[in-house]
Amino acid sequence: MGYGSGELIIRSYNAQNDRVRVEGLESICEVGPADKPFLFTDTLGDPICRIKNSPIYNMLVAELGGQLVGVIQGTIKLVTLHKPPKNVAKVGYILGLRVAPAYRRHGIGSRLVTKLEEWFVACDVDYTYMATEKDNEASYKLFVNKLGYVKFRTPAILVNPVNHHRSSQISSNFKLTKLKIEEAESLYRKYLSSTEFFPIDIGKILRNKLSLGTWVSYPKGETWGKVPTSWAMLSVWNSGELFKLRLGNVPISCFMYTKSSQLIQKFLPCFKLPSIPDFFDPFGFYFIYGVYGEGPLYGKLVKSLCNFVHNMASSKPKDCKVIVTEIGGNDTRSKLHIPHRKSMSCSEDLWCIKSLKNEDRKSVHKLTTVPPTRALFVDPREV
């Protein structure tokens, strides 16, 4: 396709030459839907912050006439994916596709995806996948209608605002314990290694400095040495250390309500009105991952763990304003008990997948047509 300004060049990102230009591209792409609020991502001066903790990663840039007009990022890892005769697959994740507004609808986005797929193929990747909002029509048309991706899973993103003026209640009937990394890794491999997209390098995730720890909750009077009758576990990842978020396109009425609710909470706490965090300045968040448990009290136990994470966040600097969890769309048991605000959450995100090898295309058909029977592990490095 002709671009009118010369040949389109797609190459790997060079931090020294491209960092400032990529930041500029990100800023002009901060244009969301006209009819609803949306989030900006502040990479804190590091365009590869969202991928650099992955085992293998790459960022491509598109240049036209010496001007940077597009970017895309990708990561590679080994995960559990049930496709006979083996249950482990090498997968490539696509994220951060951006094209300058003046150069859209000229095929630059599809060229970037195709080039990234070529890199995946060179690295012997079995499948590539991406995540988007289910109502992102442009993304859906590009990946599904044009590039051959198919709908795979619809996880739920649960968002709970942090109240820095009030702690969440934790039942005195439960005991909370922080696990050693080795213990947490052993537990995850025992109970979650058969879940979809479970990362084979879970140990590296747990040992990463951004992983704040893994906690378990169980009834008082029982010991963790023996498997309790009921128990729950989760881990916490400090995403706010990598990048910040900021809310855009918010009605002035919402802005005024937020400010007034904060003032009431501060000076008249006896009214106990729910305070809305200030999302207009850049803010960080905690990401809860690896949620699992067993027994009749699982729901109450996982709620107590989430309340503990809330209190942990509320005791930190005030830029940590939300706690985010992403779970499989069929995990209704967890969704019922993980605290979240419905108006801020997404009940149905969209993951799409594509096979990069001919012999795996039948497996993709089976994966996408058979209802999921296993839980979904969401890697915190890809949030």
Side-chain angles (χ1 to χ4, degrees):
M1 176 182 289
Y3 296 98
S5 302
E7 181 185 359
L8 182 71
I9 299 173
I10 297 178
R11 57 171 177 80
S12 292
Y13 166 77
N14 180 291
Q16 184 175 353
N17 298 328
D18 300 329
R19 183 181 61 82
V20 173
R21 295 198 298 165
V22 170
E23 288 180 338
L25 177 65
E26 290 280 354
S27 66
I28 65 173
C29 289
E30 288 184 349
V31 180
D35 57 342
K36 61 182 180 180
F38 54 92
L39 287 173
F40 297 150
T41 300
D42 182 352
T43 61
L44 305 177
D46 184 6
I48 62 169
C49 65
R50 293 182 63 194
I51 59 175
K52 66 181 182 181
N53 286 288
S54 295
I56 306 173
Y57 61 87
N58 193 8
M59 181 173 182
L60 301 178
V61 299
E63 282 185 320
L64 191 59
Q67 184 176 351
L68 196 145
V69 297
V71 297
I72 194 170
Q73 301 179 29
T75 65
I76 298 174
K77 63 181 179 181
L78 286 171
V79 301
T80 300
L81 193 61
H82 301 277
K83 56 177 196 70
K86 57 181 182 177
N87 288 331
V88 174
K90 183 181 281 191
V91 296
Y93 178 55
I94 297 175
L95 70 159
L97 175 60
R98 304 280 189 274
V99 176
Y103 294 89
R104 291 173 185 170
R105 296 182 178 85
H106 293 288
I108 295 175
S110 59
R111 284 281 304 277
L112 280 165
V113 176
T114 301
K115 280 291 184 181
L116 191 62
E117 289 179 346
E118 291 175 4
W119 175 66
F120 286 151
V121 170
C123 294
D124 197 33
V125 166
D126 299 301
Y127 301 94
T128 176
Y129 70 107
M130 49 77 69
T132 187
E133 301 88 352
K134 69 171 185 178
D135 56 353
N136 188 332
E137 187 177 347
S139 182
Y140 186 88
K141 284 182 177 178
L142 172 62
F143 284 93
V144 177
N145 295 351
K146 188 172 184 179
L147 297 173
Y149 286 71
V150 290
K151 292 189 287 185
F152 175 54
R153 295 291 179 258
T154 53
I157 301 175
L158 310 179
V159 180
N160 189 33
V162 175
N163 189 331
H164 287 276
H165 302 288
R166 186 186 306 159
S167 296
S168 296
Q169 186 175 1
I170 300 175
S171 173
S172 59
N173 295 323
F174 303 141
K175 185 174 181 179
L176 275 66
T177 301
K178 186 176 183 179
L179 299 179
K180 294 180 179 179
I181 292 176
E182 297 76 15
E183 195 176 2
E185 180 179 357
S186 176
L187 209 59
Y188 277 128
R189 292 195 185 279
K190 180 178 180 180
Y191 290 100
L192 291 183
S193 61
S194 64
T195 61
E196 287 185 331
F197 277 76
F198 178 81
I200 303 304
D201 65 339
I202 182 66
K204 289 185 178 180
I205 296 175
L206 297 171
R207 289 175 176 83
N208 191 295
K209 65 179 182 179
L210 297 175
S211 194
L212 302 181
T214 302
W215 287 264
V216 293
S217 179
Y218 52 94
K220 275 190 175 179
E222 299 190 38
T223 60
W224 182 246
K226 295 181 179 180
V227 179
T229 54
S230 292
W231 61 278
M233 69 181 295
L234 55 74
S235 298
V236 183
W237 183 271
N238 187 7
S239 298
E241 285 293 313
L242 286 178
F243 61 93
K244 305 294 183 185
L245 299 174
R246 178 168 53 87
L247 198 61
N249 198 28
V250 180
I252 187 65
S253 58
C254 182
F255 177 81
M256 296 302 296
Y257 179 72
T258 298
K259 295 299 183 183
S260 61
S261 72
Q262 291 173 342
L263 289 172
I264 292 173
Q265 182 66 248
K266 182 176 181 180
F267 296 107
L268 298 170
C270 57
F271 282 95
K272 296 183 178 180
L273 295 177
S275 175
I276 299 177
D278 183 354
F279 296 124
F280 306 102
D281 295 320
F283 62 92
F285 65 99
Y286 284 172
F287 183 77
I288 292 176
Y289 68 99
V291 180
Y292 183 76
E294 295 181 348
L297 295 177
Y298 165 76
K300 293 181 178 179
L301 289 165
V302 78
K303 183 176 181 179
S304 71
L305 284 171
C306 291
N307 286 343
F308 168 78
V309 175
H310 171 273
N311 295 345
M312 184 170 66
S314 67
S315 67
K316 300 297 179 182
K318 293 188 177 182
D319 74 327
C320 182
K321 295 181 180 177
V322 294
I323 298 166
V324 181
T325 316
E326 189 167 6
I327 58 174
N330 63 326
D331 190 1
T332 54
R333 182 182 68 152
S334 296
K335 186 177 180 181
L336 285 172
H337 298 284
I338 294 175
H340 62 282
R341 189 168 292 182
K342 188 174 181 180
S343 61
M344 299 174 66
S345 302
C346 173
S347 61
E348 194 173 301
D349 201 27
L350 179 62
W351 286 19
C352 298
I353 194 170
K354 177 182 178 179
S355 170
L356 295 180
K357 295 180 178 179
N358 290 331
E359 63 267 25
D360 289 329
R361 286 176 183 167
K362 289 183 179 179
S363 298
V364 164
H365 177 75
K366 184 176 180 181
L367 283 169
T368 56
T369 55
V370 177
T373 58
R374 300 175 185 271
L376 181 68
F377 193 101
V378 179
D379 193 327
R381 298 171 297 189
E382 296 177 351
V383 174

